[in-house]
Amino acid sequence: MKKTITKLLAILLVIGLCGCSNPQKDHYKAGIAAMETGDYAVAIEEFTGAEDYKDAQSKLKEAYYCLGSEHLENDRYDEALDAFTLASDYEDAPTKVDEVWYRKGMAAYNEQLYSDAIACFTKSHDFNDTRAKIKECWYLMGAMAFEAKEYDDAVEYFGYAEDYEDAAERIREVWYTKGKELLTNQKYDEARIALTNSNGYNDANLRLQLCDLRETLSEASVGDYIKFGTYEQDNKTNNGKEEIEWKVVAKSENKLLVVSRYVLTSKSYDADAGKTWANTKIRTWLNGSFYDGAFTDVEKMS
């Protein structure tokens, strides 16, 4: 009887020991196995279930790191960001986060989505050549805005490009181009501001004078007399040429038809009276010697 009881207790003890499994240990083992087969999502689930068993928390970070690397290799940037962020301080995970932002920025850059690229590069914390890429993106955005005639935006973007290539010169070009268009559209005050901001780009100074001249001419009405150009009229060369007075005989939009108030000179039509106007000496003189001598560069631009 005693032997029977002893055997029964032994059996119960064995059964009891076999029934006391460790769930955390089992999850840990399953996590290790999943890591070996590269099934990182499963490994993450198992190590999470292992809780504080052995180095399960460290293994969990490693699994996230490996998963992030896999996503990055396949250009799944958002997933990679999530994984490397959860990897926390495992090895170079923080640097990997920066790398992902950089590579995501490069992907946007290659698609000419420069605003998105800048946002990504900014989050990459100076990874690689981030600073230069940000400036380049601003520069390219400035060039695109300039082509689209969005001049205010172009000035802003080129400004953000700072010392990238010829960004400063491009700003002057933008102001100059904007000023020319405003001048053409007879918006003289705005044109003056833009041309002044161009800091003497190209012939900006001449165009500033042209603003004043065109504004004066635009105020003339039919029947008015205006002064435009100079020509020797009193036969006294020592006192210089006199201003030419013109009478406005017609006005259409931004054009004036004028005739000189006084006779300026007398010349023959041509030695060959049969010539057409296009080939006459008088036309050659008017478009040559007279035009070049009577009018300044600014007046010729008007």
Side-chain angles (χ1 to χ4, degrees), residues 66-214:
C66 292
L67 182 62
S69 298
E70 185 178 88
H71 285 317
L72 181 57
E73 186 176 347
N74 291 284
D75 299 333
R76 296 190 292 266
Y77 303 118
D78 292 335
E79 293 89 341
L81 281 170
D82 290 340
F84 283 128
T85 300
L86 290 169
S88 186
D89 57 352
Y90 181 81
E91 292 190 353
D92 63 341
T95 301
K96 282 294 184 182
V97 171
D98 293 341
E99 181 182 352
V100 176
W101 279 119
Y102 178 84
R103 288 177 56 174
K104 186 176 181 180
M106 285 302 301
Y109 168 89
N110 291 330
E111 293 180 14
Q112 298 185 2
L113 302 173
Y114 300 122
S115 182
D116 292 343
I118 289 170
C120 292
F121 287 140
T122 301
K123 294 178 180 178
S124 71
H125 299 113
D126 295 336
F127 183 87
N128 206 338
D129 59 345
T130 291
R131 288 179 180 270
K133 281 297 180 186
I134 290 175
K135 291 180 181 180
E136 182 182 357
C137 285
W138 282 121
Y139 182 93
L140 293 171
M141 286 178 65
M144 291 175 67
F146 179 66
E147 288 298 319
K149 297 186 177 182
E150 297 168 353
Y151 299 123
D152 292 339
D153 287 341
V155 168
E156 180 181 0
Y157 299 154
F158 281 131
Y160 290 144
E162 297 177 352
D163 57 351
Y164 183 82
E165 292 191 354
D166 62 341
E169 188 70 4
R170 294 303 302 273
I171 291 174
R172 296 176 62 210
E173 180 186 4
V174 175
W175 280 119
Y176 172 79
T177 305
K178 180 180 180 180
K180 280 204 310 180
E181 287 196 9
L182 290 167
L183 177 57
T184 299
N185 294 324
Q186 302 178 53
K187 297 180 178 179
Y188 302 115
D189 289 338
E190 294 175 65
R192 288 186 185 95
I193 293 172
L195 291 168
T196 299
N197 286 339
S198 76
N199 292 319
Y201 186 88
N202 205 335
D203 59 352
N205 292 330
L206 285 178
R207 291 188 181 277
L208 278 168
Q209 297 176 50
L210 185 59
C211 283
D212 297 335
L213 177 59
R214 283 190 179 175

